[in-house]
Amino acid sequence: MRRAVFLDRDGTLLEEGNYVDRLDRLVFFPYTVDAVRALNEANFAVVVVTNQSGVARGMYPESFVGEAHRHIDQRLHAGGARVDAYYYCPHHPEGIVADLRQDCECRKPRPGQLRQAASDLNLDLARSFMVGDRWKDIEAGKAVGARTVLVRTGYGRAAEDANPDDDTVVVDNLIQAVTWILRQP
Ligand SMILES: [Mg+2]
Ligand SMILES: [Zn+2]
């Protein structure tokens, strides 16, 4: 079984975009490619798990989510880095797209995306990590027994102030999170 690092997308892997609906709003941090490559080299499965309720809210089509992930992949591959798999939740309980208006199991803080990834990729969740900028990311990680890291990018600073949590490591950003993860035995 493989260890994984689950990465939230907006605010963690990339800049927070507040409903990213265009490719030019996918903004990499200066360290994004290096951080992912370091996890690749350490043989972690790198799995992006992202809530994309903008689909249910009718702000962009579901096809855009796949397009965005292909775009991210191009940038990563050019830098010798790769994401092993992307999972997303297109739902929201108050969405306007009827088929997607649901209280699903895949919207973080519920752990459906992580559980699906574990099943698809044969992951060892207890030896995996979840990195995110919101408590809903951290809760999803905890729900599967992963260790959790909150980053101060995106909504992370506000999250840190709002809800102290002794079990979660708090660091400035993704590259610091990766540095910390790679130091764990
Ligand atoms: Mg986020
Ligand atoms: Zn969902």
Side-chain angles (χ1 to χ4, degrees), residues 7-19:
L7 299 176
D8 170 54
R9 196 188 85 182
D10 303 328
T12 303
L13 179 68
L14 306 181
E15 297 266 16
E16 172 58 41
N18 192 26
Y19 300 108

Side-chain angles (χ1 to χ4, degrees), residues 72-144:
I72 294 167
D73 275 345
Q74 285 176 2
R75 276 277 303 267
L76 291 173
H77 294 171
R82 71 168 190 284
V83 164
D84 292 275
Y86 292 86
Y87 293 85
Y88 65 92
C89 169
H91 309 111
H92 194 274
E94 286 146 34
I96 62 166
V97 178
D99 291 350
L100 301 177
R101 188 191 308 128
Q102 47 177 282
D103 188 24
C104 62
E105 287 304 315
C106 53
R107 180 171 166 79
K108 297 174 285 182
R110 292 189 178 156
Q113 297 182 54
L114 288 75
R115 290 209 191 285
Q116 186 64 50
S119 163
D120 293 345
L121 304 175
N122 195 28
L123 303 176
D124 183 351
L125 290 170
R127 295 174 59 237
S128 294
F129 296 85
M130 173 76 216
V131 185
D133 68 312
R134 298 183 113 166
W135 289 109
K136 59 180 83 172
D137 302 315
I138 301 306
E139 286 174 38
K142 287 188 168 180
V144 300

Side-chain angles (χ1 to χ4, degrees), residues 27-174:
V27 180
F28 279 53
F29 294 109
Y31 47 76
T32 296
V33 175
D34 291 341
V36 173
R37 191 192 318 102
L39 294 172
N40 298 148
E41 287 172 353
N43 202 31
F44 280 99
V46 178
V47 180
V48 170
V49 289
T50 179
N51 286 355
Q52 292 295 322
S53 70
V55 181
R57 296 177 200 272
M59 299 169 75
Y60 44 89
E62 189 160 358
S63 60
F64 176 75
V65 179
E67 193 184 339
H69 295 166
R70 287 189 292 278
H71 183 81
I72 294 167
D73 275 345
Q74 285 176 2
R75 276 277 303 267
L76 291 173
H77 294 171
R82 71 168 190 284
V83 164
D84 292 275
Y86 292 86
Y87 293 85
Y88 65 92
C89 169
H91 309 111
H92 194 274
E94 286 146 34
I96 62 166
V97 178
D99 291 350
L100 301 177
R101 188 191 308 128
Q102 47 177 282
D103 188 24
C104 62
E105 287 304 315
C106 53
R107 180 171 166 79
K108 297 174 285 182
R110 292 189 178 156
Q113 297 182 54
L114 288 75
R115 290 209 191 285
Q116 186 64 50
S119 163
D120 293 345
L121 304 175
N122 195 28
L123 303 176
D124 183 351
L125 290 170
R127 295 174 59 237
S128 294
F129 296 85
M130 173 76 216
V131 185
D133 68 312
R134 298 183 113 166
W135 289 109
K136 59 180 83 172
D137 302 315
I138 301 306
E139 286 174 38
K142 287 188 168 180
V144 300
R147 297 170 78 182
T148 50
V149 184
L150 181 78
V151 289
R152 295 190 178 101
T153 49
Y155 292 101
R157 267 182 210 284
E160 181 184 15
D161 292 342
N163 192 353
D165 168 354
D166 290 343
D167 303 330
T168 298
V169 173
V170 183
V171 297
D172 280 348
N173 56 39
L174 177 63

